[in-house]
């Protein structure tokens, strides 16, 4: 995908070399979010016909992941997006987000939404999503209002 040995592709979330990504993602989600407000899917739940799971590799090493879950014919949700802390600051999060948006568009989705936290640890993520064109929205799908959650969405038919 890139001149620096970067590649983003669909993979199984059960890949043997993905354990560190899932461990770090889980630790980050539990760091300062009350358990009842954590909406992360277990690794095994990401193995589903309605979920496209992607891995960002740098020199063959997995440094990021993300998924798109179809929640309606024209609506997707970003799940499990994470880039290892030591790989941050090099544009990997934006690369992964762009790949997820491109996938959603290619699958005919008109809207892509996400749930993220209000805690300070999620400030950078919320900024990334806003810069990509996501705007705060009401809860979607099975979500309910939660003081620990921020819901965001992007109109894929009107955004570039």
């Amino acid at each position: 995908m890139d001149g620096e040995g970067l590649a983003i592709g669909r993979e199984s979330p059960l890949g043997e070399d993905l354990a560190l990504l899932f461990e770090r993602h889980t630790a980050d989600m539990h760091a300062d979010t009350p358990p009842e407000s954590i909406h992360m899917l277990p690794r095994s739940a990401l193995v589903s016909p309605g979920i496209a799971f992607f891995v960002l590799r740098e020199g063959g090493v997995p440094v990021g992941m993300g998924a798109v879950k179809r929640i309606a014919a024209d609506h997707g949700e970003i799940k499990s997006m994470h880039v290892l802390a030591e790989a941050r600051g090099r544009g990997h999060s934006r690369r992964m987000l762009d790949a997820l948006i491109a996938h959603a568009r290619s699958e005919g989705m008109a809207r892509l939404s996400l749930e993220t936290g209000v805690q300070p640890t999620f400030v950078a993520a919320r900024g990334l999503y806003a810069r990509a064109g996501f705007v705060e929205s009401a809860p979607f799908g099975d979500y309910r209002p939660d003081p620990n959650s921020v819901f965001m969405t992007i109109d894929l038919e009107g955004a570039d």
Side-chain angles (χ1 to χ4, degrees), residues 17-93:
D17 64 349
L18 303 181
L20 181 62
L21 276 170
F22 281 99
E23 288 167 15
R24 296 273 190 86
H25 181 57
T26 301
D28 283 0
M29 296 303 103
H30 288 270
D32 60 1
T33 303
E36 67 275 10
S37 295
I38 297 173
H39 303 287
M40 175 184 76
L41 288 175
R43 185 175 180 178
S44 61
L46 291 166
V47 181
S48 167
I51 298 176
F53 181 81
F54 295 85
V55 176
L56 168 64
R57 292 179 178 273
E58 184 173 30
V61 177
V63 297
M65 66 180 182
V68 174
K69 176 182 178 184
R70 185 180 292 275
I71 57 175
D74 65 345
H75 191 186
E77 177 184 5
I78 292 179
K79 300 296 291 181
S80 300
M81 191 162 138
H82 185 85
V83 170
L84 295 176
E86 58 270 27
R88 292 179 188 160
R90 302 200 303 265
H92 292 342
S93 295

Side-chain angles (χ1 to χ4, degrees), residues 126-149:
R126 291 193 310 269
L128 169 73
Y129 299 133
R131 287 188 302 278
F134 285 80
V135 295
E136 287 194 30
S137 66
F140 58 91
D142 294 332
Y143 290 105
R144 298 294 165 252
D146 182 337
N148 294 298
S149 291

